[in-house]
PDB file of all heavy atoms in Angstrom:
ATOM      1  N   ALA R 337     -35.035 -56.668 -78.392  1.00 96.00           N
ATOM      2  CA  ALA R 337     -34.337 -57.944 -78.541  1.00 96.00           C
ATOM      3  C   ALA R 337     -33.804 -58.161 -79.949  1.00 96.00           C
ATOM      4  O   ALA R 337     -32.617 -58.467 -80.138  1.00 96.00           O
ATOM      5  CB  ALA R 337     -35.261 -59.086 -78.127  1.00 96.00           C
ATOM      6  N   ASP R 338     -34.648 -58.026 -80.951  1.00 96.00           N
ATOM      7  CA  ASP R 338     -34.220 -58.313 -82.321  1.00 96.00           C
ATOM      8  C   ASP R 338     -33.163 -57.331 -82.796  1.00 96.00           C
ATOM      9  O   ASP R 338     -32.196 -57.720 -83.468  1.00 96.00           O
ATOM     10  CB  ASP R 338     -35.422 -58.290 -83.268  1.00 96.00           C
ATOM     11  CG  ASP R 338     -36.388 -59.442 -83.031  1.00 96.00           C
ATOM     12  OD1 ASP R 338     -35.994 -60.429 -82.368  1.00 96.00           O
ATOM     13  OD2 ASP R 338     -37.540 -59.351 -83.492  1.00 96.00           O
ATOM     14  N   ALA R 339     -33.324 -56.060 -82.457  1.00 97.00           N
ATOM     15  CA  ALA R 339     -32.343 -55.055 -82.861  1.00 97.00           C
ATOM     16  C   ALA R 339     -31.003 -55.303 -82.177  1.00 97.00           C
ATOM     17  O   ALA R 339     -29.933 -55.094 -82.778  1.00 97.00           O
ATOM     18  CB  ALA R 339     -32.855 -53.656 -82.526  1.00 97.00           C
ATOM     19  N   LEU R 340     -31.038 -55.769 -80.944  1.00 97.00           N
ATOM     20  CA  LEU R 340     -29.807 -56.059 -80.218  1.00 97.00           C
ATOM     21  C   LEU R 340     -29.066 -57.224 -80.867  1.00 97.00           C
ATOM     22  O   LEU R 340     -27.840 -57.180 -81.049  1.00 97.00           O
ATOM     23  CB  LEU R 340     -30.142 -56.387 -78.764  1.00 97.00           C
ATOM     24  CG  LEU R 340     -29.003 -56.439 -77.770  1.00 97.00           C
ATOM     25  CD1 LEU R 340     -28.359 -55.078 -77.595  1.00 97.00           C
ATOM     26  CD2 LEU R 340     -29.503 -56.959 -76.425  1.00 97.00           C
ATOM     27  N   VAL R 341     -29.777 -58.248 -81.237  1.00 98.00           N
ATOM     28  CA  VAL R 341     -29.161 -59.410 -81.887  1.00 98.00           C
ATOM     29  C   VAL R 341     -28.564 -59.031 -83.236  1.00 98.00           C
ATOM     30  O   VAL R 341     -27.508 -59.537 -83.636  1.00 98.00           O
ATOM     31  CB  VAL R 341     -30.197 -60.535 -82.042  1.00 98.00           C
ATOM     32  CG1 VAL R 341     -29.658 -61.661 -82.916  1.00 98.00           C
ATOM     33  CG2 VAL R 341     -30.609 -61.074 -80.677  1.00 98.00           C
ATOM     34  N   ALA R 342     -29.197 -58.100 -83.934  1.00 98.00           N
ATOM     35  CA  ALA R 342     -28.767 -57.740 -85.287  1.00 98.00           C
ATOM     36  C   ALA R 342     -27.640 -56.721 -85.323  1.00 98.00           C
ATOM     37  O   ALA R 342     -27.038 -56.507 -86.382  1.00 98.00           O
ATOM     38  CB  ALA R 342     -29.965 -57.200 -86.070  1.00 98.00           C
ATOM     39  N   VAL R 343     -27.328 -56.079 -84.205  1.00 98.00           N
ATOM     40  CA  VAL R 343     -26.387 -54.964 -84.229  1.00 98.00           C
ATOM     41  C   VAL R 343     -24.993 -55.410 -84.677  1.00 98.00           C
ATOM     42  O   VAL R 343     -24.562 -56.542 -84.412  1.00 98.00           O
ATOM     43  CB  VAL R 343     -26.319 -54.301 -82.832  1.00 98.00           C
ATOM     44  CG1 VAL R 343     -25.557 -55.182 -81.839  1.00 98.00           C
ATOM     45  CG2 VAL R 343     -25.711 -52.923 -82.907  1.00 98.00           C
ATOM     46  N   THR R 344     -24.299 -54.550 -85.419  1.00 97.00           N
ATOM     47  CA  THR R 344     -22.899 -54.780 -85.784  1.00 97.00           C
ATOM     48  C   THR R 344     -22.145 -53.462 -85.668  1.00 97.00           C
ATOM     49  O   THR R 344     -22.670 -52.427 -86.068  1.00 97.00           O
ATOM     50  CB  THR R 344     -22.769 -55.309 -87.234  1.00 97.00           C
ATOM     51  OG1 THR R 344     -23.432 -54.425 -88.131  1.00 97.00           O
ATOM     52  CG2 THR R 344     -23.332 -56.706 -87.359  1.00 97.00           C
ATOM     53  N   PRO R 345     -20.912 -53.508 -85.146  1.00 96.00           N
ATOM     54  CA  PRO R 345     -20.249 -54.669 -84.543  1.00 96.00           C
ATOM     55  C   PRO R 345     -20.878 -55.030 -83.211  1.00 96.00           C
ATOM     56  O   PRO R 345     -21.686 -54.270 -82.670  1.00 96.00           O
ATOM     57  CB  PRO R 345     -18.811 -54.174 -84.360  1.00 96.00           C
ATOM     58  CG  PRO R 345     -18.950 -52.682 -84.194  1.00 96.00           C
ATOM     59  CD  PRO R 345     -20.092 -52.279 -85.078  1.00 96.00           C
ATOM     60  N   LYS R 346     -20.477 -56.210 -82.701  1.00 97.00           N
ATOM     61  CA  LYS R 346     -21.050 -56.718 -81.455  1.00 97.00           C
ATOM     62  C   LYS R 346     -19.984 -56.722 -80.359  1.00 97.00           C
ATOM     63  O   LYS R 346     -19.175 -57.642 -80.282  1.00 97.00           O
ATOM     64  CB  LYS R 346     -21.595 -58.128 -81.659  1.00 97.00           C
ATOM     65  CG  LYS R 346     -22.849 -58.217 -82.518  1.00 97.00           C
ATOM     66  CD  LYS R 346     -23.310 -59.665 -82.646  1.00 97.00           C
ATOM     67  CE  LYS R 346     -24.719 -59.754 -83.231  1.00 97.00           C
ATOM     68  NZ  LYS R 346     -24.790 -59.185 -84.582  1.00 97.00           N
ATOM     69  N   PRO R 347     -19.985 -55.705 -79.489  1.00 97.00           N
ATOM     70  CA  PRO R 347     -19.026 -55.713 -78.387  1.00 97.00           C
ATOM     71  C   PRO R 347     -19.356 -56.796 -77.367  1.00 97.00           C
ATOM     72  O   PRO R 347     -20.496 -57.265 -77.289  1.00 97.00           O
ATOM     73  CB  PRO R 347     -19.182 -54.314 -77.778  1.00 97.00           C
ATOM     74  CG  PRO R 347     -20.584 -53.919 -78.109  1.00 97.00           C
ATOM     75  CD  PRO R 347     -20.857 -54.517 -79.455  1.00 97.00           C
ATOM     76  N   HIS R 348     -18.361 -57.171 -76.587  1.00 98.00           N
ATOM     77  CA  HIS R 348     -18.569 -58.158 -75.539  1.00 98.00           C
ATOM     78  C   HIS R 348     -19.525 -57.602 -74.477  1.00 98.00           C
ATOM     79  O   HIS R 348     -19.467 -56.419 -74.118  1.00 98.00           O
ATOM     80  CB  HIS R 348     -17.246 -58.538 -74.875  1.00 98.00           C
ATOM     81  CG  HIS R 348     -17.419 -59.498 -73.735  1.00 98.00           C
ATOM     82  ND1 HIS R 348     -17.490 -60.866 -73.921  1.00 98.00           N
ATOM     83  CD2 HIS R 348     -17.557 -59.291 -72.401  1.00 98.00           C
ATOM     84  CE1 HIS R 348     -17.672 -61.446 -72.751  1.00 98.00           C
ATOM     85  NE2 HIS R 348     -17.714 -60.521 -71.813  1.00 98.00           N
ATOM     86  N   ILE R 349     -20.379 -58.477 -73.953  1.00 98.00           N
ATOM     87  CA  ILE R 349     -21.303 -58.132 -72.866  1.00 98.00           C
ATOM     88  C   ILE R 349     -20.989 -59.012 -71.665  1.00 98.00           C
ATOM     89  O   ILE R 349     -20.964 -60.249 -71.788  1.00 98.00           O
ATOM     90  CB  ILE R 349     -22.772 -58.336 -73.274  1.00 98.00           C
ATOM     91  CG1 ILE R 349     -23.167 -57.419 -74.432  1.00 98.00           C
ATOM     92  CG2 ILE R 349     -23.700 -58.105 -72.084  1.00 98.00           C
ATOM     93  CD1 ILE R 349     -24.556 -57.695 -75.007  1.00 98.00           C
TER      94      ILE R 349
END
Side-chain angles (χ1 to χ4, degrees):
D338 292 343
L340 192 65
V341 171
V343 73
T344 54
K346 290 180 167 61
H348 177 85
I349 297 172

